[in-house]
Amino acid sequence: MLKKLFTSFRSPLRRAPRPRSTPEVLSSRQHPINRNEISRHAISVVERLQKAGYQAYLVGGCVRDLLLDIDPKDFDVATSATPEQVRAEFRNARVIGRRFKLVHVHFGREIIEVATFRANHPQGEEEENSNQAARHESGRILRDNVYGTLEDDAQRRDFTINALYYDPTQEHILDYARGMHDVRNHLVRLIGDPEQRYLEDPVRMLRAVRFAAKLDFDIEKHSAAPIRRLAPMLRDIPAARLFDEVLKLFLAGYAEYTFDLLLEHDLFAQLFPASGEALKRNPEYTEKLIREALINTDDRIHDGKSVTPAFLFAALLWPALPARVLHLQSKGMPPIPAMQEAAHELITEQCQRIAVPKRFTIPIREIWDMQERLPRRSGKRADLLLENPRFRAGYDFLLLRERAGEDTEGLGDWWTDYQEASDSQRRQMIRDLAGKPEAAGSAPRKRRRSGGKRKRGGESSGE
């Protein structure tokens, strides 16, 4: 108590001075950024804040991407104005966030995100204001609204390549952390002590992987060194936030390389624990199936086609499912109910780590359920399956399983031919199945007991 009392009387002048840095200033002749490549709305936000007497710059990923001749997906602004001051300047703006307060300035569908310069959190004996800053006992930042100077803001950013500030008025770049050096040398490097920065926010480990995959950069060795040891800290991150991060990792066109980096740094099993176990049990098949799904996702994105998280998550989790289905069947549960029960358990467990919304978990289960139904083609079942809205996703997933090495006794080829056949050809294909055992599904099936009449439609009672 006495130490705390004396600390409260200390003059701010007696505190150790914070390190300050002088930026490298690059003129328009020293960098390739062309003002005409930048959103006019982003430029107008910067210029309006500057005319109001505030400092304002384009910052972060948009500057980095422009330097690398990549079209930025959005434009962010950093300013000395507080969120409330920014809001007062723009009628089309609103303040968002609690953990990290920001302002969104709306121009139709385009949103320019404006953040106030941040400073590092108080350290040691300095007191934190819980309304501005808060930390978990592990060091993880819970609230981050400590405002500071431009120099402070540069030093508290995560990676050097994201700490570049572009002034569209003067057309020069301010570089406080040797970010230009790392852009030129294709390096993802943390600013400050890597372990401390990961402890502040473990998601930075995923961001390091994402930027390395997106930009085809290497993670600088000191920044990479602590990741495997600190990877379990991702368990402390809210599941909803991890869902957003996983979409950024896998739905940006470089999912396969991202998967390689996640495996290299022991991060994949932290995101998908059951699939991580499947990789240990059956590495060849599990990796092949996941990789095929990720390659397909990347190809669709590069071709401008739509992708659905449901199909991706179905593939990422599938290798963990068959063993659970077999276990339930060994207890006497029929195949389709066993599939449904195992799917429910697996998805429930996964959602504790990554909060997959219900709008995706339902189609995931339907895609998996289709794997038990596709082998059952006799009578009118094949035509009824073709009319099922999940048939196409289920069929595509069947082909994915076959490419990964599963033996389905030609089931994929049969369904491919059936879709292209005429009505008469389809009837013949169904007749040809008579007397043959149905092809293997996702798990071995017990023989149906003979005798007794089944109710019409009983086979679809699990739908």
Side-chain angles (χ1 to χ4, degrees):
M1 289 181 63
L2 288 173
K3 184 177 181 181
K4 188 173 182 179
L5 178 64
F6 287 127
T7 300
S8 66
F9 286 113
R10 286 179 181 170
S11 165
L13 296 176
R14 295 187 61 184
R15 292 178 180 173
R18 294 179 179 177
R20 298 180 64 85
S21 60
T22 301
E24 178 184 1
V25 181
L26 292 89
S27 70
S28 58
R29 295 182 179 180
Q30 296 172 292
H31 65 76
I33 295 179
N34 185 336
R35 178 185 160 106
N36 295 329
E37 299 173 339
I38 300 171
S39 160
R40 61 186 179 89
H41 298 307
I43 292 176
S44 71
V45 169
V46 171
E47 291 179 340
R48 189 163 168 181
L49 287 169
Q50 289 178 347
K51 288 178 181 177
Y54 303 110
Q55 292 176 286
Y57 300 88
L58 292 171
V59 68
C62 62
V63 180
R64 177 200 68 220
D65 288 351
L66 287 168
L67 289 170
L68 294 168
D69 198 25
I70 299 172
D71 291 332
K73 62 181 178 60
D74 49 36
F75 291 88
D76 297 336
V77 172
T79 180
S80 59
T82 66
E84 291 72 21
Q85 290 170 331
V86 175
R87 174 68 183 86
E89 289 294 324
F90 298 93
R91 295 176 59 185
N92 54 330
R94 66 187 185 95
V95 179
I96 66 165
R98 294 181 60 187
R99 177 182 177 273
F100 192 97
K101 195 178 289 187
L102 301 165
V103 179
H104 279 178
V105 186
H106 294 257
F107 298 90
R109 292 187 176 182
E110 184 177 7
I111 296 175
I112 305 301
E113 190 169 275
V114 182
T116 304
F117 296 150
R118 256 62 171 189
N120 287 316
H121 281 228
Q123 298 288 329
E125 297 173 342
E126 299 182 52
E127 294 295 319
E128 289 190 353
N129 181 335
S130 61
N131 292 323
Q132 296 177 333
R135 288 178 186 266
H136 187 270
E137 59 184 12
S138 67
R140 178 163 53 92
I141 292 177
L142 302 176
R143 189 170 295 113
D144 188 10
N145 292 305
V146 181
Y147 302 137
T149 65
L150 173 57
E151 292 86 352
D152 292 332
D153 192 74
Q155 293 304 319
R156 64 155 296 283
R157 288 186 174 270
D158 49 8
F159 301 102
T160 60
I161 57 176
N162 291 342
L164 297 166
Y165 297 77
Y166 177 73
D167 183 347
T169 304
Q170 301 294 326
E171 296 188 60
H172 61 226
I173 292 175
L174 301 183
D175 181 2
Y176 284 89
R178 300 193 73 214
M180 289 295 294
H181 170 273
D182 289 335
V183 167
R184 295 187 187 105
N185 289 280
H186 292 190
L187 288 175
V188 175
R189 184 196 308 269
L190 275 165
I191 297 173
D193 177 65
E195 182 160 344
Q196 179 184 338
R197 301 312 302 276
Y198 292 140
L199 289 172
E200 289 174 352
D201 186 0
V203 169
R204 285 177 177 144
M205 294 184 282
L206 300 180
R207 285 169 58 80
V209 164
R210 177 157 60 88
F211 291 139
K214 173 184 176 178
L215 305 173
D216 196 19
F217 280 19
D218 293 322
I219 302 176
E220 184 270 331
K221 63 179 182 179
H222 296 294
S223 299
I227 294 180
R228 292 181 66 90
R229 178 166 49 85
L230 298 180
M233 291 198 65
L234 287 173
R235 300 171 190 170
D236 299 328
I237 300 300
R241 187 180 177 204
L242 284 183
F243 175 73
D244 293 335
E245 291 297 327
V246 166
L247 292 190
K248 294 176 185 176
L249 286 168
F250 289 123
L251 296 182
Y254 39 85
E256 186 190 12
Y257 185 30
T258 297
F259 177 60
D260 289 333
L261 292 175
L262 290 174
L263 291 179
E264 177 183 345
H265 296 287
D266 202 23
L267 293 167
F268 180 77
Q270 303 302 326
L271 298 173
F272 298 93
S275 300
E277 288 298 318
L279 270 169
K280 294 178 182 178
R281 291 194 307 268
N282 191 353
E284 184 176 351
Y285 166 73
T286 300
E287 183 172 336
K288 177 69 172 175
L289 185 137
I290 291 175
R291 194 174 295 281
E292 285 286 339
L294 297 179
I295 291 172
N296 178 67
T297 299
D298 288 343
D299 288 344
R300 290 186 64 86
I301 290 172
H302 294 153
D303 292 340
K305 298 178 181 178
S306 62
V307 293
T308 170
F311 191 91
L312 179 62
F313 274 92
L316 290 169
L317 294 172
W318 172 264
L321 186 64
R324 297 179 183 226
V325 176
L326 282 170
H327 176 69
L328 292 174
Q329 284 189 248
S330 70
K331 293 183 175 182
M333 189 177 290
I336 290 180
M339 171 68 80
Q340 293 171 340
E341 179 63 23
H344 174 73
E345 291 178 359
L346 179 56
I347 290 175
T348 299
E349 290 175 14
Q350 181 60 44
C351 285
Q352 293 175 1
R353 187 63 55 90
I354 298 174
V356 184
K358 196 171 184 178
R359 68 181 183 274
F360 298 130
T361 60
I362 291 175
I364 289 171
R365 294 182 62 173
E366 291 171 342
I367 290 169
W368 288 347
D369 186 63
M370 191 65 68
Q371 305 312 297
E372 278 289 353
R373 298 184 183 279
L374 286 173
R376 300 163 182 263
R377 300 155 284 169
S378 60
K380 296 182 179 180
R381 290 173 179 165
D383 290 332
L384 291 173
L385 283 172
L386 276 179
E387 296 172 3
N388 190 303
R390 293 294 175 196
F391 169 79
R392 184 69 201 189
Y395 164 74
D396 288 342
F397 199 84
L398 170 66
L399 299 184
L400 173 67
R401 291 167 51 207
E402 291 182 338
R403 291 199 301 273
E406 280 195 51
D407 181 12
T408 65
E409 300 179 13
L411 188 59
D413 287 340
W414 191 94
W415 276 109
T416 300
D417 294 340
Y418 193 78
Q419 293 176 75
E420 299 171 353
S422 65
D423 287 343
S424 60
Q425 289 172 327
R426 288 180 177 181
R427 302 288 70 77
Q428 184 59 50
M429 291 176 71
I430 297 298
R431 285 192 293 271
D432 291 343
L433 292 174
K436 295 181 180 179
E438 291 177 319
S442 62
R445 246 175 233 88
K446 297 182 179 180
R447 287 187 65 181
R448 191 183 305 279
R449 286 182 291 182
S450 61
K453 295 183 179 179
R454 285 200 317 276
K455 293 181 180 179
R456 186 176 182 181
E459 191 59 45
S460 61
S461 61
E463 291 183 350

